[in-house]
Amino acid sequence: MKKLLVPILSVVCFAFLFPSLPSAADSPAFEKKLTEQLSLVQDSHQFIVVEGKTNSYQALLRTYEKRGNKWVQVHKSAAVIGKNGLSSSKKEGDGRTPVGLFSIGESFGFASKPANLKMRYTQTNNYHYWIDDPTSPDYNKWIYYRGNPNKRWKSYERMNHYLYKYAVIINYNRNPIIKGKGSAIFLHRWRQSTSPTAGCVALSEKQLLNVMRWIAPSKQPKIIIGDQSSILTQLKARNTPAK
Protein backbone atom coordinates (compact mmCIF):
# COMPACT_ATOMS: atom_id res chain seq x y z
CA MET A 1 0.00 0.00 0.00
CA LYS A 2 1.43 3.34 -1.02
CA LYS A 3 1.12 6.24 1.41
CA LEU A 4 -0.86 9.22 0.19
CA LEU A 5 -0.51 12.96 0.70
CA VAL A 6 -3.60 15.18 0.89
CA PRO A 7 -2.97 18.69 -0.49
CA ILE A 8 -3.83 21.46 1.93
CA LEU A 9 -4.99 24.80 0.59
CA SER A 10 -4.35 26.66 3.80
CA VAL A 11 -4.20 26.19 7.53
CA VAL A 12 -7.28 28.37 7.91
CA CYS A 13 -9.34 26.25 5.52
CA PHE A 14 -8.24 23.09 7.25
CA ALA A 15 -9.32 24.43 10.62
CA PHE A 16 -12.84 24.96 9.31
CA LEU A 17 -13.07 21.70 7.40
CA PHE A 18 -11.63 19.46 10.12
CA PRO A 19 -12.41 20.45 13.71
CA SER A 20 -10.09 19.25 16.43
CA LEU A 21 -10.34 15.67 17.58
CA PRO A 22 -12.37 14.94 20.69
CA SER A 23 -10.32 14.02 23.72
CA ALA A 24 -11.06 11.13 26.03
CA ALA A 25 -12.58 13.63 28.44
CA ASP A 26 -15.16 14.55 25.78
CA SER A 27 -16.74 11.07 25.93
CA PRO A 28 -16.83 9.98 29.59
CA ALA A 29 -19.51 7.36 28.93
CA PHE A 30 -17.31 5.62 26.35
CA GLU A 31 -14.24 5.93 28.56
CA LYS A 32 -16.13 4.34 31.46
CA LYS A 33 -17.38 1.43 29.35
CA LEU A 34 -13.93 0.96 27.80
CA THR A 35 -12.28 0.76 31.22
CA GLU A 36 -14.93 -1.70 32.37
CA GLN A 37 -14.22 -3.99 29.42
CA LEU A 38 -10.45 -3.69 29.83
CA SER A 39 -10.82 -4.73 33.47
CA LEU A 40 -12.08 -8.12 32.20
CA VAL A 41 -9.04 -8.75 30.00
CA GLN A 42 -6.87 -11.51 31.44
CA ASP A 43 -4.23 -12.26 28.82
CA SER A 44 -2.76 -8.82 28.20
CA HIS A 45 -1.42 -5.96 30.28
CA GLN A 46 -1.12 -3.39 27.48
CA PHE A 47 -3.70 -2.14 24.99
CA ILE A 48 -3.46 0.40 22.20
CA VAL A 49 -6.90 1.81 21.35
CA VAL A 50 -7.32 3.55 17.98
CA GLU A 51 -10.67 5.31 17.74
CA GLY A 52 -11.73 6.44 14.27
CA LYS A 53 -14.68 6.62 11.90
CA THR A 54 -15.77 4.96 8.67
CA ASN A 55 -15.71 8.25 6.76
CA SER A 56 -12.68 10.12 8.09
CA TYR A 57 -8.93 9.71 8.25
CA GLN A 58 -8.68 11.47 11.60
CA ALA A 59 -8.34 9.26 14.65
CA LEU A 60 -7.40 9.26 18.31
CA LEU A 61 -4.84 6.86 19.76
CA ARG A 62 -4.70 6.01 23.45
CA THR A 63 -2.64 3.45 25.32
CA TYR A 64 -3.65 1.66 28.50
CA GLU A 65 -1.62 -0.44 30.89
CA LYS A 66 -2.68 -2.72 33.71
CA ARG A 67 -0.95 -1.73 36.94
CA GLY A 68 -1.90 -3.95 39.80
CA ASN A 69 -5.64 -4.47 39.43
CA LYS A 70 -6.25 -1.18 37.62
CA TRP A 71 -6.01 -0.15 33.97
CA VAL A 72 -4.58 3.34 33.51
CA GLN A 73 -4.27 5.53 30.44
CA VAL A 74 -0.63 6.22 29.57
CA HIS A 75 -0.68 8.07 26.22
CA LYS A 76 -3.17 10.00 24.15
CA SER A 77 -2.47 11.62 20.81
CA ALA A 78 -3.98 12.52 17.46
CA ALA A 79 -3.48 9.92 14.76
CA VAL A 80 -4.31 9.44 11.11
CA ILE A 81 -5.66 6.30 9.45
CA GLY A 82 -6.62 5.29 5.90
CA LYS A 83 -7.79 8.00 3.52
CA ASN A 84 -11.22 6.32 3.36
CA GLY A 85 -11.55 5.69 7.10
CA LEU A 86 -12.24 2.34 8.74
CA SER A 87 -13.50 -0.95 7.34
CA SER A 88 -14.59 -4.23 8.91
CA SER A 89 -14.13 -5.94 5.53
CA LYS A 90 -10.87 -4.51 4.28
CA LYS A 91 -9.62 -5.26 0.77
CA GLU A 92 -6.24 -4.64 -0.81
CA GLY A 93 -5.96 -1.09 -2.09
CA ASP A 94 -9.23 0.21 -0.63
CA GLY A 95 -7.53 2.98 1.36
CA ARG A 96 -9.13 1.84 4.60
CA THR A 97 -7.76 0.80 7.98
CA PRO A 98 -8.99 -2.58 9.23
CA VAL A 99 -11.34 -2.76 12.20
CA GLY A 100 -10.39 -5.43 14.70
CA LEU A 101 -8.27 -6.55 17.61
CA PHE A 102 -4.73 -7.59 16.72
CA SER A 103 -1.49 -8.58 18.36
CA ILE A 104 1.62 -6.44 18.00
CA GLY A 105 4.55 -7.68 15.97
CA GLU A 106 8.16 -6.56 15.92
CA SER A 107 9.44 -3.09 15.11
CA PHE A 108 11.66 -1.88 12.30
CA GLY A 109 12.98 1.24 10.62
CA PHE A 110 15.73 2.58 8.41
CA ALA A 111 17.10 4.57 11.34
CA SER A 112 19.24 3.11 14.10
CA LYS A 113 17.43 1.33 16.90
CA PRO A 114 15.91 3.89 19.29
CA ALA A 115 17.25 3.96 22.84
CA ASN A 116 15.30 2.20 25.59
CA LEU A 117 13.33 0.02 23.19
CA LYS A 118 12.08 -3.30 24.59
CA MET A 119 10.83 -4.68 21.28
CA ARG A 120 12.81 -6.58 18.70
CA TYR A 121 14.00 -4.04 16.11
CA THR A 122 15.38 -4.56 12.60
CA GLN A 123 17.22 -1.76 10.84
CA THR A 124 16.06 -2.03 7.25
CA ASN A 125 17.85 -1.44 3.98
CA ASN A 126 17.10 -1.55 0.26
CA TYR A 127 16.73 -5.34 0.30
CA HIS A 128 13.84 -5.51 2.77
CA TYR A 129 10.40 -5.71 1.15
CA TRP A 130 6.81 -6.16 2.25
CA ILE A 131 4.77 -7.80 -0.50
CA ASP A 132 1.33 -6.43 -1.39
CA ASP A 133 0.92 -8.41 -4.62
CA PRO A 134 -2.15 -10.65 -4.03
CA THR A 135 -1.06 -13.02 -6.81
CA SER A 136 2.23 -13.81 -5.10
CA PRO A 137 2.85 -16.62 -2.59
CA ASP A 138 4.77 -13.97 -0.65
CA TYR A 139 1.64 -11.83 -0.14
CA ASN A 140 1.62 -9.91 3.16
CA LYS A 141 5.07 -11.22 4.09
CA TRP A 142 8.33 -9.51 4.94
CA ILE A 143 10.96 -10.70 2.45
CA TYR A 144 14.69 -10.05 2.29
CA TYR A 145 15.67 -10.22 -1.39
CA ARG A 146 18.79 -9.07 -3.23
CA GLY A 147 17.47 -9.68 -6.75
CA ASN A 148 15.34 -7.54 -9.05
CA PRO A 149 11.99 -7.10 -7.23
CA ASN A 150 10.14 -6.19 -10.44
CA LYS A 151 10.84 -9.64 -11.84
CA ARG A 152 9.46 -11.36 -8.75
CA TRP A 153 6.44 -9.26 -7.71
CA LYS A 154 3.84 -7.05 -9.35
CA SER A 155 3.62 -4.84 -6.26
CA TYR A 156 5.69 -4.38 -3.14
CA GLU A 157 6.85 -1.87 -0.54
CA ARG A 158 10.41 -1.17 0.43
CA MET A 159 10.79 -1.37 4.18
CA ASN A 160 13.14 1.61 4.19
CA HIS A 161 10.34 3.86 2.88
CA TYR A 162 10.51 7.50 4.00
CA LEU A 163 7.58 6.99 6.42
CA TYR A 164 9.22 3.93 7.96
CA LYS A 165 11.98 5.67 9.83
CA TYR A 166 10.41 3.86 12.78
CA ALA A 167 7.45 1.50 12.60
CA VAL A 168 5.66 -1.36 14.34
CA ILE A 169 3.97 -4.29 12.64
CA ILE A 170 0.26 -4.72 13.35
CA ASN A 171 -0.52 -8.40 12.92
CA TYR A 172 -3.46 -8.00 10.56
CA ASN A 173 -4.19 -10.80 8.06
CA ARG A 174 -1.09 -12.71 9.19
CA ASN A 175 -2.38 -16.07 10.43
CA PRO A 176 -3.85 -17.20 8.15
CA ILE A 177 -2.96 -14.87 5.32
CA ILE A 178 -5.96 -14.38 3.02
CA LYS A 179 -5.02 -12.99 -0.36
CA GLY A 180 -6.68 -9.70 -1.18
CA LYS A 181 -7.73 -8.94 2.41
CA GLY A 182 -5.08 -6.25 2.83
CA SER A 183 -1.40 -6.15 3.62
CA ALA A 184 1.38 -4.13 5.23
CA ILE A 185 -0.58 -2.68 8.14
CA PHE A 186 1.82 -0.81 10.38
CA LEU A 187 1.99 1.82 13.07
CA HIS A 188 4.38 4.40 11.60
CA ARG A 189 5.16 8.11 11.53
CA TRP A 190 2.95 10.48 9.57
CA ARG A 191 3.95 13.00 6.93
CA GLN A 192 1.84 15.52 8.80
CA SER A 193 -1.43 15.58 10.70
CA THR A 194 -3.33 16.37 7.50
CA SER A 195 -2.03 13.40 5.50
CA PRO A 196 -3.96 10.11 5.66
CA THR A 197 -2.40 6.71 5.10
CA ALA A 198 -3.32 3.96 2.66
CA GLY A 199 -4.54 1.80 5.56
CA CYS A 200 -1.98 2.04 8.34
CA VAL A 201 -2.14 4.00 11.60
CA ALA A 202 0.26 6.94 11.81
CA LEU A 203 1.44 9.32 14.53
CA SER A 204 3.90 12.16 14.83
CA GLU A 205 7.44 10.84 15.17
CA LYS A 206 7.64 12.01 18.79
CA GLN A 207 4.42 10.27 19.78
CA LEU A 208 5.34 7.15 17.81
CA LEU A 209 8.63 6.81 19.68
CA ASN A 210 6.84 7.32 23.00
CA VAL A 211 4.48 4.44 22.18
CA MET A 212 7.27 2.21 20.84
CA ARG A 213 9.32 2.66 24.01
CA TRP A 214 6.24 1.92 26.11
CA ILE A 215 5.42 -1.37 24.36
CA ALA A 216 6.68 -4.35 26.35
CA PRO A 217 6.38 -7.73 24.58
CA SER A 218 6.31 -9.48 27.98
CA LYS A 219 2.96 -7.74 28.66
CA GLN A 220 1.32 -9.27 25.56
CA PRO A 221 0.37 -5.93 23.96
CA LYS A 222 -2.70 -5.72 21.73
CA ILE A 223 -4.14 -3.06 19.45
CA ILE A 224 -7.86 -2.55 18.88
CA ILE A 225 -9.11 -0.39 16.03
CA GLY A 226 -12.64 0.84 15.38
CA ASP A 227 -15.25 3.43 16.20
CA GLN A 228 -16.54 3.64 19.76
CA SER A 229 -19.32 1.12 19.18
CA SER A 230 -17.20 -1.50 17.46
CA ILE A 231 -14.37 -1.16 20.00
CA LEU A 232 -16.76 -1.94 22.85
CA THR A 233 -18.45 -4.73 20.88
CA GLN A 234 -15.12 -6.39 20.07
CA LEU A 235 -13.93 -6.23 23.67
CA LYS A 236 -17.24 -7.53 25.02
CA ALA A 237 -17.20 -10.46 22.59
CA ARG A 238 -13.60 -11.24 23.49
CA ASN A 239 -14.34 -11.11 27.21
CA THR A 240 -17.52 -13.22 27.06
CA PRO A 241 -16.78 -16.88 27.84
CA ALA A 242 -17.83 -19.33 25.14
CA LYS A 243 -20.87 -21.46 26.07
Side-chain angles (χ1 to χ4, degrees):
M1 290 177 294
K2 308 302 181 285
K3 310 305 176 230
L4 302 175
L5 177 65
V6 174
I8 300 303
L9 297 178
S10 71
V11 175
V12 174
C13 288
F14 177 81
F16 280 103
L17 289 172
F18 301 103
S20 60
L21 285 166
S23 68
D26 294 331
S27 51
F30 170 68
E31 183 73 13
K32 182 175 182 293
K33 292 177 181 178
L34 176 62
T35 304
E36 288 173 352
Q37 288 299 324
L38 286 175
S39 70
L40 300 175
V41 173
Q42 300 296 321
D43 62 348
S44 176
H45 284 69
Q46 288 186 330
F47 254 83
I48 300 172
V49 178
V50 180
E51 178 191 338
K53 296 181 179 180
T54 57
N55 60 354
S56 173
Y57 66 80
Q58 291 185 307
L60 182 66
L61 182 144
R62 286 169 281 188
T63 68
Y64 295 83
E65 183 167 317
K66 190 174 185 180
R67 296 176 180 172
N69 294 321
K70 184 178 181 181
W71 283 84
V72 297
Q73 186 182 122
V74 181
H75 304 99
K76 181 176 71 175
S77 70
V80 294
I81 55 175
K83 64 175 182 175
N84 294 320
L86 299 170
S87 176
S88 56
S89 56
K90 180 171 175 58
K91 295 179 175 59
E92 186 66 44
D94 64 3
R96 295 185 180 274
T97 298
V99 168
L101 193 158
F102 314 107
S103 60
I104 299 294
E106 64 182 277
S107 59
F108 65 92
F110 64 77
S112 299
K113 181 179 179 178
N116 303 316
L117 200 68
K118 307 177 192 71
M119 310 174 70
R120 178 180 175 183
Y121 183 87
T122 299
Q123 187 170 5
T124 55
N125 57 41
N126 216 36
Y127 302 117
H128 290 270
Y129 301 90
W130 198 283
I131 312 309
D132 53 15
D133 172 8
T135 67
S136 171
D138 298 325
Y139 180 67
N140 204 24
K141 294 179 181 178
W142 180 345
I143 303 293
Y144 183 85
Y145 182 61
R146 298 181 70 90
N148 182 346
N150 296 313
K151 292 183 177 180
R152 182 168 175 178
W153 305 296
K154 296 178 181 178
S155 182
Y156 56 84
E157 284 194 45
R158 292 189 187 272
M159 299 288 278
N160 60 351
H161 186 284
Y162 164 78
L163 295 177
Y164 302 159
K165 181 178 180 180
Y166 307 109
V168 177
I169 296 169
I170 298 173
N171 286 326
Y172 167 76
N173 194 25
R174 301 296 308 282
N175 186 25
I177 295 173
I178 300 174
K179 291 187 176 182
K181 288 287 288 182
S183 61
I185 303 300
F186 309 133
L187 178 64
H188 62 73
R189 68 172 178 165
W190 64 27
R191 292 183 189 274
Q192 54 190 8
S193 62
T194 57
S195 297
T197 72
C200 295
V201 178
L203 305 172
S204 69
E205 183 173 320
K206 178 181 178 180
Q207 294 295 342
L208 174 62
L209 285 171
N210 286 341
V211 173
M212 289 178 67
R213 291 186 172 109
W214 166 80
I215 293 172
S218 63
K219 296 184 178 181
Q220 300 298 310
K222 303 291 191 300
I223 184 168
I224 188 166
I225 304 170
D227 58 17
Q228 290 186 1
S229 177
S230 64
I231 288 170
L232 294 176
T233 298
Q234 290 175 77
L235 282 173
K236 185 175 181 179
R238 184 177 187 272
N239 293 329
T240 301
K243 295 183 178 179

Short mmCIF file of all heavy atoms in Angstrom, two decimals, residues 200-229:
data_model
loop_
_atom_site.label_atom_id
_atom_site.label_comp_id
_atom_site.label_asym_id
_atom_site.label_seq_id
_atom_site.Cartn_x
_atom_site.Cartn_y
_atom_site.Cartn_z
N CYS A 200 -2.70 2.17 7.07
CA CYS A 200 -1.98 2.04 8.34
C CYS A 200 -2.50 3.04 9.37
O CYS A 200 -3.41 3.81 9.10
CB CYS A 200 -0.49 2.28 8.11
SG CYS A 200 0.32 1.05 7.07
N VAL A 201 -1.89 3.02 10.55
CA VAL A 201 -2.14 4.00 11.60
C VAL A 201 -0.85 4.80 11.75
O VAL A 201 0.23 4.21 11.87
CB VAL A 201 -2.51 3.34 12.93
CG1 VAL A 201 -2.72 4.39 14.02
CG2 VAL A 201 -3.75 2.47 12.78
N ALA A 202 -0.95 6.13 11.75
CA ALA A 202 0.26 6.94 11.81
C ALA A 202 0.16 8.02 12.87
O ALA A 202 -0.92 8.57 13.12
CB ALA A 202 0.54 7.57 10.44
N LEU A 203 1.31 8.31 13.48
CA LEU A 203 1.44 9.32 14.53
C LEU A 203 2.60 10.25 14.20
O LEU A 203 3.42 9.94 13.33
CB LEU A 203 1.75 8.64 15.88
CG LEU A 203 0.82 7.57 16.42
CD1 LEU A 203 1.46 6.92 17.65
CD2 LEU A 203 -0.52 8.17 16.77
N SER A 204 2.70 11.34 14.94
CA SER A 204 3.90 12.16 14.83
C SER A 204 5.09 11.31 15.28
O SER A 204 4.93 10.35 16.05
CB SER A 204 3.79 13.39 15.71
OG SER A 204 3.84 13.04 17.09
N GLU A 205 6.26 11.63 14.82
CA GLU A 205 7.44 10.84 15.17
C GLU A 205 7.66 10.82 16.68
O GLU A 205 7.98 9.77 17.27
CB GLU A 205 8.68 11.40 14.48
CG GLU A 205 9.94 10.58 14.73
CD GLU A 205 11.11 11.04 13.90
OE1 GLU A 205 10.91 11.38 12.71
OE2 GLU A 205 12.24 11.06 14.44
N LYS A 206 7.45 11.95 17.34
CA LYS A 206 7.64 12.01 18.79
C LYS A 206 6.68 11.06 19.51
O LYS A 206 7.09 10.29 20.38
CB LYS A 206 7.44 13.44 19.28
CG LYS A 206 7.57 13.60 20.80
CD LYS A 206 7.33 15.03 21.22
CE LYS A 206 7.40 15.16 22.74
NZ LYS A 206 7.17 16.57 23.18
N GLN A 207 5.41 11.12 19.13
CA GLN A 207 4.42 10.27 19.78
C GLN A 207 4.66 8.80 19.44
O GLN A 207 4.48 7.91 20.29
CB GLN A 207 3.01 10.69 19.38
CG GLN A 207 2.59 12.05 19.88
CD GLN A 207 2.49 12.11 21.41
OE1 GLN A 207 2.42 11.10 22.09
NE2 GLN A 207 2.51 13.32 21.95
N LEU A 208 5.05 8.53 18.21
CA LEU A 208 5.34 7.15 17.81
C LEU A 208 6.46 6.56 18.67
O LEU A 208 6.35 5.43 19.16
CB LEU A 208 5.74 7.12 16.34
CG LEU A 208 6.21 5.76 15.79
CD1 LEU A 208 5.10 4.71 15.88
CD2 LEU A 208 6.70 5.91 14.36
N LEU A 209 7.53 7.31 18.87
CA LEU A 209 8.63 6.81 19.68
C LEU A 209 8.21 6.62 21.14
O LEU A 209 8.64 5.66 21.79
CB LEU A 209 9.82 7.77 19.60
CG LEU A 209 10.61 7.71 18.29
CD1 LEU A 209 11.61 8.84 18.22
CD2 LEU A 209 11.32 6.35 18.15
N ASN A 210 7.34 7.50 21.64
CA ASN A 210 6.84 7.32 23.00
C ASN A 210 6.10 5.98 23.13
O ASN A 210 6.29 5.24 24.10
CB ASN A 210 5.89 8.46 23.37
CG ASN A 210 6.62 9.76 23.65
OD1 ASN A 210 7.82 9.78 23.91
ND2 ASN A 210 5.90 10.87 23.56
N VAL A 211 5.25 5.69 22.15
CA VAL A 211 4.48 4.44 22.18
C VAL A 211 5.41 3.24 22.00
O VAL A 211 5.27 2.23 22.71
CB VAL A 211 3.39 4.45 21.09
CG1 VAL A 211 2.71 3.09 21.00
CG2 VAL A 211 2.34 5.53 21.41
N MET A 212 6.35 3.33 21.08
CA MET A 212 7.27 2.21 20.84
C MET A 212 8.08 1.89 22.09
O MET A 212 8.30 0.70 22.41
CB MET A 212 8.19 2.53 19.67
CG MET A 212 7.50 2.52 18.32
SD MET A 212 8.59 2.97 16.93
CE MET A 212 9.73 1.56 16.90
N ARG A 213 8.54 2.90 22.80
CA ARG A 213 9.32 2.66 24.01
C ARG A 213 8.46 2.11 25.14
O ARG A 213 8.96 1.41 26.02
CB ARG A 213 10.00 3.96 24.45
CG ARG A 213 11.11 4.41 23.50
CD ARG A 213 11.87 5.61 24.04
NE ARG A 213 13.04 5.91 23.22
CZ ARG A 213 13.16 6.97 22.43
NH1 ARG A 213 12.16 7.86 22.36
NH2 ARG A 213 14.25 7.16 21.70
N TRP A 214 7.17 2.41 25.09
CA TRP A 214 6.24 1.92 26.11
C TRP A 214 5.90 0.44 25.91
O TRP A 214 5.72 -0.30 26.87
CB TRP A 214 4.97 2.77 26.07
CG TRP A 214 3.80 2.22 26.81
CD1 TRP A 214 3.57 2.27 28.16
CD2 TRP A 214 2.67 1.55 26.24
NE1 TRP A 214 2.36 1.67 28.47
CE2 TRP A 214 1.80 1.22 27.31
CE3 TRP A 214 2.31 1.20 24.94
CZ2 TRP A 214 0.58 0.55 27.10
CZ3 TRP A 214 1.11 0.54 24.72
CH2 TRP A 214 0.28 0.23 25.80
N ILE A 215 5.82 0.00 24.66
CA ILE A 215 5.42 -1.37 24.36
C ILE A 215 6.41 -2.35 24.97
O ILE A 215 7.62 -2.26 24.76
CB ILE A 215 5.31 -1.60 22.84
CG1 ILE A 215 4.16 -0.78 22.26
CG2 ILE A 215 5.11 -3.08 22.53
CD1 ILE A 215 4.10 -0.79 20.74
N ALA A 216 5.87 -3.30 25.72
CA ALA A 216 6.68 -4.35 26.35
C ALA A 216 6.15 -5.71 25.90
O ALA A 216 5.04 -6.10 26.30
CB ALA A 216 6.62 -4.22 27.86
N PRO A 217 6.87 -6.44 25.05
CA PRO A 217 6.38 -7.73 24.58
C PRO A 217 5.98 -8.69 25.70
O PRO A 217 5.06 -9.50 25.53
CB PRO A 217 7.57 -8.27 23.78
CG PRO A 217 8.27 -7.05 23.30
CD PRO A 217 8.15 -6.06 24.42
N SER A 218 6.64 -8.60 26.86
CA SER A 218 6.31 -9.48 27.98
C SER A 218 4.90 -9.24 28.52
O SER A 218 4.34 -10.09 29.22
CB SER A 218 7.32 -9.30 29.11
OG SER A 218 7.26 -7.98 29.62
N LYS A 219 4.31 -8.07 28.18
CA LYS A 219 2.96 -7.74 28.66
C LYS A 219 1.89 -8.06 27.63
O LYS A 219 0.74 -7.66 27.77
CB LYS A 219 2.90 -6.27 29.06
CG LYS A 219 3.82 -5.96 30.24
CD LYS A 219 3.70 -4.52 30.70
CE LYS A 219 4.61 -4.27 31.91
NZ LYS A 219 4.51 -2.88 32.41
N GLN A 220 2.27 -8.81 26.59
CA GLN A 220 1.32 -9.27 25.56
C GLN A 220 0.48 -8.12 25.00
O GLN A 220 -0.75 -8.12 25.07
CB GLN A 220 0.40 -10.36 26.13
CG GLN A 220 1.11 -11.59 26.64
CD GLN A 220 1.87 -12.31 25.53
OE1 GLN A 220 1.33 -12.59 24.47
NE2 GLN A 220 3.15 -12.61 25.78
N PRO A 221 1.11 -7.11 24.44
CA PRO A 221 0.37 -5.93 23.96
C PRO A 221 -0.57 -6.27 22.81
O PRO A 221 -0.28 -7.11 21.96
CB PRO A 221 1.48 -4.97 23.51
CG PRO A 221 2.62 -5.88 23.17
CD PRO A 221 2.55 -7.01 24.16
N LYS A 222 -1.71 -5.57 22.79
CA LYS A 222 -2.70 -5.72 21.73
C LYS A 222 -3.07 -4.33 21.21
O LYS A 222 -2.89 -3.32 21.90
CB LYS A 222 -3.97 -6.39 22.26
CG LYS A 222 -3.76 -7.76 22.89
CD LYS A 222 -3.39 -8.82 21.88
CE LYS A 222 -3.44 -10.23 22.48
NZ LYS A 222 -2.52 -10.41 23.63
N ILE A 223 -3.61 -4.30 20.00
CA ILE A 223 -4.14 -3.06 19.45
C ILE A 223 -5.56 -3.32 18.98
O ILE A 223 -5.82 -4.35 18.34
CB ILE A 223 -3.25 -2.51 18.31
CG1 ILE A 223 -3.79 -1.16 17.81
CG2 ILE A 223 -3.11 -3.50 17.17
CD1 ILE A 223 -2.82 -0.41 16.89
N ILE A 224 -6.46 -2.43 19.32
CA ILE A 224 -7.86 -2.55 18.88
C ILE A 224 -8.20 -1.29 18.11
O ILE A 224 -7.89 -0.17 18.54
CB ILE A 224 -8.80 -2.78 20.08
CG1 ILE A 224 -10.21 -3.10 19.57
CG2 ILE A 224 -8.81 -1.62 21.06
CD1 ILE A 224 -11.13 -3.67 20.65
N ILE A 225 -8.82 -1.48 16.94
CA ILE A 225 -9.11 -0.39 16.03
C ILE A 225 -10.59 -0.40 15.69
O ILE A 225 -11.16 -1.46 15.40
CB ILE A 225 -8.28 -0.52 14.73
CG1 ILE A 225 -6.77 -0.60 15.04
CG2 ILE A 225 -8.56 0.65 13.79
CD1 ILE A 225 -5.92 -0.96 13.84
N GLY A 226 -11.23 0.76 15.74
CA GLY A 226 -12.64 0.84 15.38
C GLY A 226 -13.24 2.16 15.80
O GLY A 226 -12.54 3.05 16.27
N ASP A 227 -14.56 2.30 15.61
CA ASP A 227 -15.25 3.43 16.20
C ASP A 227 -15.64 3.03 17.62
O ASP A 227 -15.39 1.90 18.05
CB ASP A 227 -16.46 3.85 15.36
CG ASP A 227 -17.49 2.74 15.17
OD1 ASP A 227 -17.47 1.74 15.93
OD2 ASP A 227 -18.33 2.87 14.27
N GLN A 228 -16.24 3.93 18.36
CA GLN A 228 -16.54 3.64 19.76
C GLN A 228 -17.38 2.38 19.90
O GLN A 228 -17.10 1.52 20.74
CB GLN A 228 -17.24 4.83 20.41
CG GLN A 228 -16.34 6.03 20.61
CD GLN A 228 -17.02 7.16 21.38
OE1 GLN A 228 -18.17 7.03 21.79
NE2 GLN A 228 -16.31 8.25 21.60
N SER A 229 -18.41 2.26 19.08
CA SER A 229 -19.32 1.12 19.18
C SER A 229 -18.61 -0.20 18.90
O SER A 229 -18.75 -1.17 19.65
CB SER A 229 -20.49 1.31 18.21
OG SER A 229 -21.35 0.19 18.24
#
